Amino acid sequence: MTKKIRVLTGIQPSGKLHIGNYFGAMKPMIEWQEKSDLFCFFANLHALTSISDGPLLADNTLDGITDFLALGLDPDKCTFWVQSDVSQHTELTWILSNVTSMGLLERCHAFKEKQARGLTPNHGLFAYPVLMAADIILYQANLVPVGQDQKQHLEVTRDIAGSFNHTFGQTFVLPDPGIDENLATIPGLDGQKMSKSYNNAIDIFVEKDELKKKVMSIVTDTRGVNEIKDPDNCSLYALYRLFAAPDQLAEMRDRYLKPGLKYVDAKKELIELIWNYFAPHREKRAELVKRPDTIHDIMKAGAEKAGQVAEITMTDVRRKVGLIY
Ligand code: ADP
Ligand code: TRP
């Protein structure tokens, strides 16, 4: 049997997940568990750089874990844990800091942007890429699927790993970024990129009334019932496409291209499609919420599984840098 590649990915527990997160990140990630040795974790230490409300971070973490399990991430098919439960992440970060130049970190966008906005970045934000490098190379990951915005962090990771290998001898695998150019940006209610920061998102686990309100507020053009419409420049259609079966989509396209379609009817259909699409996941989530102990047990087992892999790397690293005497 050929060895499966190790794919690793981290998600910050930064709030409620929306449909853009689902199709742009979570669904592809969950699919990786079928075809790779998937390592997937909640980057709660990274979230400390933007959240300074303890109960909020703890809630976000538990909520996010519950969402992922409900949406199909299977801890028997992958390794799934919370970053802070595996202390080797922070231990390796410190060691890597000593082979990381200031210049490399000063060139990072997130840090430069904060500085440009006149804010004083703290050391956590400055060192963010070093922690991210540690997350990845601790597990000798081959591939890290990320969005365009994380590309620079992968380059930094490769630099840091290379610098350690150069100084102390071959130790770390240099990971490849897996950037899927075909992944579409999911539009929000106003037609811009769906994002929790733009207040234009449809959350995955939303109440039905709220879902109705949101879908009904999707912005469409002013073409009347008897005018022909343009499916390729319509956020309503772009969202419909994500949920409809191929024949349903073909039929809707046809209705766009002929007189007679009322946007409100397409919206009503979209509400039902979204609601039904997530129905099994909603049920699973409701079950999970009743059993927080089970969730904690799953995460404890995940941290143990991840910790064993991490410890193999760390034993080698400690010996190489001279911490074992
Ligand atoms: P937000 O913009 O809501 O803050 P994040 O930046 O936390 O979302 O994104 C988490 C993940 O979800 C990233 O991998 C990102 O690429 C993906 N994602 C977020 N919004 C969208 C979108 N509108 N379309 C496609 N993918 C998205
Ligand atoms: N920085 C990533 C983001 O904001 C999250 C992250 C932390 C991550 N560590 C990682 C992603 C390791 C991939 C691999 O989306």
Side-chain angles (χ1 to χ4, degrees):
M1 204 178 86
T2 50
K3 208 165 157 248
K4 284 185 182 170
I5 62 160
R6 181 161 295 167
V7 173
L8 178 139
T9 179
I11 320 107
Q12 289 201 50
S14 53
K16 288 219 178 331
L17 293 162
H18 54 70
I19 284 169
N21 296 140
Y22 179 71
F23 288 100
M26 301 167 78
K27 187 165 173 276
M29 184 192 307
I30 292 169
E31 284 164 3
W32 273 115
Q33 73 187 1
E34 307 298 339
K35 50 188 185 202
S36 74
D37 176 18
L38 177 67
F39 276 58
C40 171
F41 69 97
F42 266 91
N44 60 342
L45 295 171
H46 279 108
L48 287 175
T49 62
S50 57
I51 303 181
S52 45
D53 174 337
L56 178 69
L57 178 57
D59 279 355
N60 280 352
T61 306
L62 190 60
D63 266 359
I65 292 167
T66 313
D67 289 348
F68 266 75
L69 293 173
L71 289 165
L73 197 77
D74 180 348
D76 291 329
K77 291 186 181 166
C78 66
T79 306
F80 182 43
W81 74 103
V82 176
Q83 189 183 31
S84 63
D85 286 343
V86 177
S87 61
Q88 286 88 340
H89 287 250
T90 44
E91 185 185 358
L92 183 58
T93 300
W94 177 251
I95 295 172
L96 294 181
S97 287
N98 297 286
V99 294
T100 306
S101 73
M102 294 284 285
L104 184 66
L105 300 179
E106 276 162 358
R107 286 194 291 277
C108 286
H109 301 314
F111 171 73
K112 283 205 308 199
E113 269 163 30
K114 242 196 179 154
Q115 243 182 357
R117 280 196 278 141
L119 303 165
T120 314
N122 63 25
H123 179 253
L125 193 77
F126 187 63
Y128 184 111
V130 189
L131 177 58
M132 182 154 161
D135 296 339
I136 297 169
I137 63 179
L138 187 54
Y139 300 96
Q140 311 286 3
N142 307 107
L143 185 72
V144 183
V146 284
Q148 279 292 346
D149 60 326
Q150 296 297 315
K151 202 173 158 200
Q152 189 185 37
H153 286 152
L154 256 292
E155 283 157 15
V156 171
T157 299
R158 290 172 63 92
D159 267 7
I160 296 177
S163 162
F164 186 98
N165 287 347
H166 180 73
T167 312
F168 295 103
Q170 180 57 40
T171 308
F172 295 116
V173 169
L174 301 197
D176 286 319
I179 296 175
D180 187 344
E181 308 285 352
N182 296 323
L183 263 186
T185 299
I186 314 299
L189 306 176
D190 54 0
Q192 287 189 83
K193 171 187 184 273
M194 187 179 289
S195 168
K196 62 179 167 303
S197 350
Y198 303 158
N199 200 18
N200 65 355
I202 303 176
D203 292 343
I204 299 171
F205 295 110
V206 63
E207 297 294 332
K208 186 132 190 208
D209 280 350
E210 185 62 18
L211 175 65
K212 282 185 190 161
K213 252 195 259 162
K214 294 260 165 146
V215 172
M216 284 301 170
S217 73
I218 294 172
V219 175
T220 47
D221 61 27
T222 52
R223 288 180 216 199
V225 184
N226 291 323
E227 285 178 89
I228 285 172
K229 304 182 178 65
D230 180 3
D232 298 321
N233 288 297
C234 176
S235 358
L236 174 58
Y237 185 83
L239 290 169
Y240 191 92
R241 155 180 248 135
L242 298 170
F243 295 96
D247 52 336
Q248 244 173 338
L249 184 66
E251 195 200 312
M252 182 55 83
R253 193 174 178 84
D254 222 41
R255 285 162 68 193
Y256 264 73
L257 300 174
K258 281 201 297 236
L261 174 75
K262 287 190 198 151
Y263 284 129
V264 68
D265 290 335
K267 286 181 177 179
K268 282 183 187 156
E269 286 175 40
L270 178 60
I271 293 166
E272 292 312 312
L273 282 177
I274 299 178
W275 187 251
N276 294 335
Y277 186 96
F278 290 116
H281 307 296
R282 219 169 18 248
E283 265 173 44
K284 183 150 184 214
R285 195 176 197 289
E287 275 306 305
L288 283 164
V289 169
K290 286 187 216 147
R291 296 184 281 122
D293 289 353
T294 310
I295 297 179
H296 281 104
D297 289 347
I298 291 173
M299 297 324 284
K300 191 164 169 243
E304 271 165 28
K305 204 163 139 194
Q308 281 170 15
V309 179
E311 190 53 20
I312 295 171
T313 305
M314 279 317 295
T315 306
D316 185 30
V317 168
R318 289 185 205 112
R319 190 179 51 75
K320 283 191 171 128
V321 302
L323 297 178
I324 296 176
Y325 55 90

